[in-house]
């Protein structure tokens, strides 16, 4: 069995503004960096054997901060990027709604059916992200604890894959900034069962913001 800690990146200014950032390389803001530090503190006693990260800086810096003083190697893979939002990149919800009335709501209601204009579908995202994660997991057959740092949409589609759930349910999973998800991974065979042991744990962010 392998234990997967899948963590969303910290906050960016575009997150705060409500802009769709997708594959645009938007850095962590000060709050996002503090969130990553708090997440690292929450995971300080976990021994990570290997780390995988999206190549976008908001995820990679989050991974580096969580790693801290450990010497664990980080593998960077662009297949773990967020959904390519195509024409929606850098746009606000209201601007998208004005230009493509109803389509953004359709994406949230029926994510398995919608492809973003000049961008990706959630199936496209799931296929490439799973290819990268599966390759990383299968480097060896040893029992390991792995850290994966990536993006909200990416994580949702990976959870669907790992739990054998239709991608139409990807929005059923909340994913806050630096949310921690833990999965006990047994394989993807017919009789294998992967266990979602922790979902969207943001207690460290609540403490940071004085809400706990």
């Amino acid at each position: 069995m392998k234990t997967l800690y899948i963590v969303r990146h910290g906050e960016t200014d575009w997150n705060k503004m409500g802009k769709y950032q997708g594959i645009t390389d938007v850095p962590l803001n000060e709050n996002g960096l503090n969130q990553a530090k708090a997440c690292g503190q929450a995971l300080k006693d976990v021994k990570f054997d290997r780390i995988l990260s999206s190549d976008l800086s908001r995820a990679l810096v989050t991974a580096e901060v969580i790693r801290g003083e450990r010497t664990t190697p980080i593998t960077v893979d662009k297949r773990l990027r967020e959904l390519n939002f195509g024409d929606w990149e850098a746009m606000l919800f209201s601007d998208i709604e004005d230009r493509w009335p109803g389509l953004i709501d359709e994406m949230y209601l029926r994510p398995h059916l919608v492809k973003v204009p000049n961008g990706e579908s959630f199936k496209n995202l799931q296929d490439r992200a799973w290819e990268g994660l599966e390759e990383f997991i299968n480097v060896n057959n040893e029992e390991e604890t792995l850290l994966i740092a990536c993006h909200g949409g990416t994580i949702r589609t990976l959870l669907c894959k790992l739990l054998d759930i239709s991608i139409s349910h990807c929005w059923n999973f909340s994913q806050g900034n630096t949310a921690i998800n833990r999965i006990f991974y047994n394989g993807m065979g017919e009789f294998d069962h992967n266990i979602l042991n922790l979902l969207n744990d943001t207690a460290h962010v609540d403490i940071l913001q004085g809400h706990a």
Side-chain angles (χ1 to χ4, degrees), residues 124-194:
N124 296 148
L125 168 58
Q126 185 184 61
D127 286 347
R128 66 165 163 82
W130 174 243
E131 181 182 65
L133 179 57
E134 183 180 38
E135 185 179 293
F136 182 74
I137 289 172
N138 291 334
V139 164
N140 61 59
N141 294 319
E142 300 171 9
E143 287 195 5
E144 294 182 296
T145 299
L146 308 177
L147 172 65
I148 298 96
C150 52
H151 310 269
T154 311
I155 292 170
R156 290 178 174 96
T157 65
L158 288 173
L159 289 176
C160 288
K161 182 71 176 182
L162 288 160
L163 301 175
D164 195 23
I165 295 171
S166 168
I167 202 169
S168 63
H169 297 299
C170 68
W171 291 111
N172 289 49
F173 300 109
S174 292
Q175 288 298 302
N177 287 115
T178 63
I180 301 169
N181 307 276
R182 183 170 57 221
I183 292 181
F184 299 139
Y185 177 84
N186 294 294
M188 298 299 291
E190 182 181 359
F191 301 108
D192 291 321
H193 296 283
N194 299 317

Side-chain angles (χ1 to χ4, degrees), residues 19-151:
K19 281 188 176 182
Y20 283 75
Q21 53 195 357
I23 62 171
T24 306
D25 197 3
V26 185
L28 296 179
N29 60 21
E30 183 179 358
N31 186 49
L33 187 57
N34 288 333
Q35 289 173 339
K37 291 176 182 177
C39 186
Q41 184 64 22
L43 296 174
K44 64 181 174 61
D45 294 327
V46 180
K47 180 185 178 297
F48 293 115
D49 296 291
R50 291 183 290 129
I51 300 173
L52 176 67
S53 176
S54 158
D55 67 330
L56 297 177
S57 63
R58 58 189 184 271
L60 182 54
V61 171
T62 298
E64 291 170 343
V65 171
I66 293 171
R67 178 178 64 174
E69 296 182 358
R70 301 176 183 90
T71 58
T72 314
I74 298 178
T75 299
V76 177
D77 193 330
K78 67 180 182 181
R79 290 174 292 184
L80 272 289
R81 287 181 176 185
E82 180 60 283
L83 183 79
N84 181 347
F85 279 105
D87 293 343
W88 293 2
E89 295 271 331
M91 293 185 70
L92 296 169
F93 180 98
S94 56
D95 297 327
I96 296 169
E97 180 62 23
D98 287 342
R99 188 168 171 187
W100 295 275
L103 187 57
I104 196 165
D105 284 338
E106 189 72 7
M107 181 189 72
Y108 287 111
L109 291 170
R110 299 175 179 85
H112 57 302
L113 300 178
V114 172
K115 182 177 182 181
V116 177
N118 291 312
E120 289 182 300
S121 68
F122 279 85
K123 184 64 166 61
N124 296 148
L125 168 58
Q126 185 184 61
D127 286 347
R128 66 165 163 82
W130 174 243
E131 181 182 65
L133 179 57
E134 183 180 38
E135 185 179 293
F136 182 74
I137 289 172
N138 291 334
V139 164
N140 61 59
N141 294 319
E142 300 171 9
E143 287 195 5
E144 294 182 296
T145 299
L146 308 177
L147 172 65
I148 298 96
C150 52
H151 310 269

